[in-house]
Amino acid sequence: MFEKQLISKAFPSYLNQDAAILVDFLIKREACFEDVLAEERVVLRGESLIIPKRVYFGQYHTQSLTYLQEMMLNCLYLCHHNGHLREFYLRELLAVKEDFALPFIAKLFGDYVIEILEVLQRELPNNTRDRLKVFFRANPLYQKRIESRIASYWDCFYRNTHPNFKKYIGYKLFQSITNN
């Protein structure tokens, strides 16, 4: 079952039971998984994870989910094709203490939506910044991909409004995490 693998591989193995429940929850709501083509490979605490680049499903009432399962779903929303939803669920996850959220939050440093970068800059707690620093050190190739996306999106969308790349919010924010 593609859906089960997609979600179970996005989270550490200790969450496999919760991932299975989340898959059932999403399938019952006819969530679309066919459009999830690309993925990001990362390591979290020595475990290899595969997170989706984009997901294409709606917002759902989560009363039947546990807090942990809801946080897992919120992580998937950080991969959503709708930037407004990515921004909304980022705010929901900023204070989460569980490390499984780190790869999803880290992904947003390479987002093209400047409002998401502004939320990260303003609202990201210091302890999460420290944990992200450790995460990026453990994932140097992923860090390079994020750096490349930052430069690419700046070049495509923000070069005219922010002509100095080193003053661009995406660059400054990422440097504040990875170079301290």
Side-chain angles (χ1 to χ4, degrees):
M1 173 186 268
F2 172 72
E3 297 87 358
K4 185 174 183 180
Q5 287 182 337
L6 176 77
I7 292 177
S8 68
K9 289 183 178 186
F11 297 98
S13 58
Y14 74 89
L15 294 171
N16 281 346
Q17 286 183 323
D18 292 296
I21 291 168
L22 187 54
V23 168
D24 291 340
F25 173 85
L26 291 168
I27 288 174
K28 286 178 185 171
R29 283 146 187 87
E30 299 180 5
C32 176
F33 291 96
E34 287 81 30
D35 292 331
V36 179
L37 301 174
E39 55 197 28
E40 302 277 3
R41 295 180 181 272
V42 297
V43 174
L44 183 65
R45 288 196 208 155
E47 188 171 353
S48 188
L49 304 178
I50 303 172
I51 59 174
K53 272 195 177 178
R54 287 284 180 251
V55 296
Y56 301 85
F57 48 75
Q59 287 183 280
Y60 307 112
H61 296 288
T62 57
Q63 299 93 325
S64 64
L65 297 176
T66 66
Y67 172 77
L68 192 62
Q69 294 159 1
E70 185 176 349
M71 292 303 102
M72 292 169 68
L73 178 60
N74 290 351
C75 286
L76 293 174
Y77 280 125
L78 296 189
C79 304
H80 202 275
H81 67 94
N82 182 320
H84 295 290
L85 291 181
R86 290 196 306 277
E87 181 182 349
F88 176 82
Y89 286 101
L90 172 61
R91 284 194 167 100
E92 296 289 307
L93 285 167
L94 283 176
V96 168
K97 303 289 188 255
E98 287 84 1
D99 281 349
F100 67 77
L102 291 176
F104 297 90
I105 294 171
K107 182 178 180 309
L108 293 181
F109 281 85
D111 207 290
Y112 61 90
V113 178
I114 202 162
E115 290 83 0
I116 290 173
L117 301 174
E118 290 168 348
V119 169
L120 284 168
Q121 184 176 39
R122 279 191 319 267
E123 301 176 31
L124 191 65
N126 286 335
N127 64 338
T128 305
R129 287 175 186 268
D130 294 339
R131 292 176 18 221
L132 282 165
K133 183 181 200 174
V134 171
F135 172 79
F136 280 120
R137 281 191 188 140
N139 291 278
L141 293 177
Y142 189 57
Q143 179 177 334
K144 290 288 183 199
R145 284 196 307 271
I146 297 292
E147 289 172 346
S148 294
R149 284 185 194 134
I150 291 167
S152 179
Y153 288 138
W154 168 79
D155 188 42
C156 288
F157 301 115
Y158 301 109
R159 178 186 283 271
N160 291 334
T161 55
H162 300 86
N164 185 340
F165 177 64
K166 292 191 175 187
K167 291 185 178 182
Y168 169 61
I169 186 173
Y171 175 83
K172 291 189 325 187
L173 175 64
F174 198 64
Q175 293 302 308
S176 74
I177 298 293
T178 59
N179 285 340
N180 282 331

